[in-house]
């Protein structure tokens, strides 16, 4: 029979996990729109169509209505867990460093999964594609993709891009990409991992293993505006710690629920470029 750990330790541990998530945790939460409503495991986002103002009639008649389309985008929550063992007989023997390692491991596992939930939603959606996978990414590709989104007038122009390191490295060889004249304010946490901001787009490097491989030596990154992607995690990570006599270890169970959906598929672009092209500085 397992025994619960002291309440003070569970609270301390859970607070530590939350702290790691906030300071070093998943990268893409700030790039998404929170859910509008939750009903059990189902969450949804409201989507309103665009509207045009009309000339006001001077006659005494019913006012014209815009008749906006209002739809719902739905997604189902999935439950996840990130568990670990603490090989210590007594919690009083635990040092801060030992507990911090377990806290960080659990938090980062949750963070990685949350990022992948968002990227998997983008990958599952039918999106416009910039690039054919045969060449390296360039500034022209970025401008074209951004223009594709801007042209539909979504209203929210807070752009984000999740790309592999090889894409970001190639873009960093363009003088304008690295020039402070083109760079806006950066997100402090993202700056630590090498994120870059160009023309209002925050480029976030993510591991290649998280991205779709459409063919050999190709990867798909993504560019989108914040309102295009929804992410919901109504059950914040929670922790339970039990002593397992048979194993003579403490078992730390971290649980959370999350889901993501592409709300505006025309406000996101798939960036498909080669990964086997040698880095080369473009001619100014």
């Amino acid at each position: 029979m397992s025994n619960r750990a002291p309440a003070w330790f569970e609270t301390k541990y859970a607070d530590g996990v939350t702290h790691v998530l906030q300071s070093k945790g998943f990268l893409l939460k700030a790039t998404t729109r929170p859910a509008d409503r939750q009903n059990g495991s189902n969450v949804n986002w409201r989507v309103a169509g665009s509207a045009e103002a009309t000339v006001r009639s001077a006659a005494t008649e019913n006012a014209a209505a815009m008749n906006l389309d209002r739809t719902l985008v739905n997604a189902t929550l999935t439950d996840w867990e990130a568990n670990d063992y603490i090989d210590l007989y007594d919690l009083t023997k635990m040092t801060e460093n030992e507990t911090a390692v377990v806290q960080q491991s659990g938090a980062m596992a949750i963070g990685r999964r949350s990022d992948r939930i968002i990227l998997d939603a983008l990958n599952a959606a039918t999106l416009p594609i910039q690039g054919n996978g045969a060449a390296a990414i360039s500034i022209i590709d970025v401008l074209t993709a951004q223009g594709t989104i801007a042209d539909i007038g979504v209203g929210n122009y807070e752009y984000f891009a999740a790309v592999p390191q090889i894409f970001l490295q190639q873009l960093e060889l363009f003088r304008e990409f690295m020039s402070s004249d083109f760079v806006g304010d950066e997100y402090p946490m993202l700056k630590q991992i090498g994120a870059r901001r160009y023309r209002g787009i925050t480029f976030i490097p993510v591991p290649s293993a998280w991205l779709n491989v459409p063919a050999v030596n190709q990867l798909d990154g993504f560019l989108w505006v914040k309102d295009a992607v929804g992410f919901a995690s109504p059950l914040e990570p929670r922790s339970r710690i039990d002593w397992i006599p048979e194993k003579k270890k403490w078992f730390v169970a971290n649980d959370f629920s999350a889901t993501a959906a592409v709300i505006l598929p025309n406000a996101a672009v798939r960036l498909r470029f080669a990964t086997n092209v040698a880095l080369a500085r473009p001619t100014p």
Side-chain angles (χ1 to χ4, degrees):
M1 180 178 178
S2 64
N3 297 314
R4 292 292 297 272
W8 66 266
F9 182 74
E10 283 193 330
T11 301
K12 183 178 179 182
Y13 179 89
D15 288 346
V17 170
T18 301
H19 172 73
V20 173
L21 276 171
Q22 291 175 344
S23 62
K24 304 177 183 177
F26 61 96
L27 312 174
L28 303 181
K29 183 177 182 180
T31 71
T32 60
R33 171 183 159 186
D36 293 323
R37 184 179 179 185
Q38 178 188 352
N39 182 13
S41 61
N42 183 266
V43 296
N44 58 56
W45 294 264
R46 294 182 180 88
V47 181
S50 60
E52 296 293 338
T54 56
V55 176
R56 182 180 182 277
S57 172
T60 304
E61 59 185 12
N62 293 334
M66 293 186 296
N67 292 323
L68 284 177
D69 291 332
R70 289 183 173 85
T71 59
L72 289 178
V73 175
N74 299 290
T76 303
L77 291 168
T78 301
D79 298 326
W80 300 88
E81 59 183 5
N83 307 320
D84 204 354
Y85 281 105
I86 299 175
D87 191 12
L88 291 169
Y89 294 106
D90 191 344
L91 287 177
T92 60
K93 298 178 183 177
M94 296 179 73
T95 66
E96 290 296 325
N97 287 340
E98 288 168 322
T99 57
V101 168
V102 182
Q103 286 171 341
Q104 182 159 331
S105 297
M108 298 308 285
I110 293 170
R112 287 191 298 270
R113 176 50 58 187
S114 298
D115 284 337
R116 297 191 72 165
I117 289 172
I118 294 169
L119 291 172
D120 286 347
L122 281 161
N123 189 53
T126 301
L127 308 175
I129 301 176
Q130 178 65 33
N132 59 11
I137 191 171
S138 73
I139 287 294
I140 294 175
D141 294 308
V142 172
L143 296 176
T144 303
Q146 186 181 37
T148 299
I149 297 174
D151 194 49
I152 68 171
V154 292
N156 185 326
Y157 294 104
E158 192 173 2
Y159 292 89
F160 297 93
V163 296
Q165 283 287 354
I166 187 65
F167 288 10
L168 190 59
Q169 289 169 344
Q170 180 61 53
L171 290 172
E172 286 176 342
L173 295 176
F174 286 83
R175 183 176 58 187
E176 59 266 47
F177 189 84
M178 297 300 292
S179 172
S180 59
D181 294 338
F182 293 83
V183 177
D185 295 333
E186 295 177 284
Y187 291 82
M189 188 183 81
L190 294 178
K191 189 175 181 180
Q192 298 175 17
I193 62 164
R196 190 75 185 163
R197 194 166 172 85
Y198 170 73
R199 283 183 56 88
I201 308 170
T202 300
F203 288 81
I204 305 169
V206 298
S208 297
W210 296 4
L211 298 169
N212 179 54
V213 181
V216 177
N217 298 322
Q218 296 180 6
L219 278 176
D220 284 349
F222 300 96
L223 172 67
W224 69 94
V225 293
K226 189 169 186 176
D227 283 349
V229 183
F231 177 79
S233 182
L235 175 59
E236 294 299 324
R238 61 185 181 184
S239 303
R240 176 187 172 111
I241 305 175
D242 295 284
W243 173 253
I244 310 298
E246 295 83 357
K247 295 185 179 293
K248 296 183 179 180
K249 296 180 180 180
W250 293 97
F251 182 69
V252 181
N254 300 296
D255 302 287
F256 74 106
S257 295
T259 190
V262 174
I263 306 168
L264 302 172
N266 57 350
V269 175
R270 190 181 299 266
L271 305 173
R272 178 167 294 173
F273 297 99
T275 58
N276 64 335
V277 178
L279 294 175
R281 189 182 302 279
T283 303

